């Protein structure tokens, strides 16, 4: 089964098996966003448990 190329670039697995992701809305139209909001978007987050199954299907080699 092939790995989904888009998912491969967007998600990574942690050592404990959780799925790490980056926040959206950090690429353009940044002038109207506050500094605090932009700074908080910089850090990565974790994928919700409800979405784990679907993302694991996109990353079968992991």
């Amino acid at each position: 089964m092939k790995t989904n190329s888009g998912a491969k670039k967007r998600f990574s697995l942690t050592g404990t098996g959780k799925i790490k992701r980056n926040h959206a809305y950090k690429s353009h139209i940044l002038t109207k966003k506050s500094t605090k909001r932009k700074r908080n978007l910089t850090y990565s987050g974790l994928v919700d448990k409800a979405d784990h199954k679907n993302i694991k299907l996109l990353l079968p080699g992991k």
Side-chain angles (χ1 to χ4, degrees):
M1 190 174 183
K2 287 186 179 179
T3 299
N4 182 289
S5 294
K8 180 171 56 178
K9 296 166 194 171
R10 287 170 173 82
F11 302 107
S12 61
L13 288 175
T14 64
T16 55
K18 295 174 185 168
I19 303 171
K20 208 162 63 166
R21 68 176 180 87
N22 288 321
H23 287 99
Y25 309 113
K26 185 72 199 307
S27 57
H28 60 98
I29 315 176
L30 298 173
T31 51
K32 64 174 79 170
K33 295 172 188 151
S34 70
T35 308
K36 179 181 178 180
R37 182 174 165 193
K38 288 186 282 192
R39 185 173 61 246
N40 287 331
L41 290 172
T42 299
Y43 308 113
S44 60
L46 294 175
V47 169
D48 194 73
K49 204 163 40 168
D51 300 318
H52 266 224
K53 186 180 172 187
N54 290 330
I55 294 171
K56 289 265 189 175
L57 289 174
L58 300 174
L59 304 168
K62 301 282 180 181

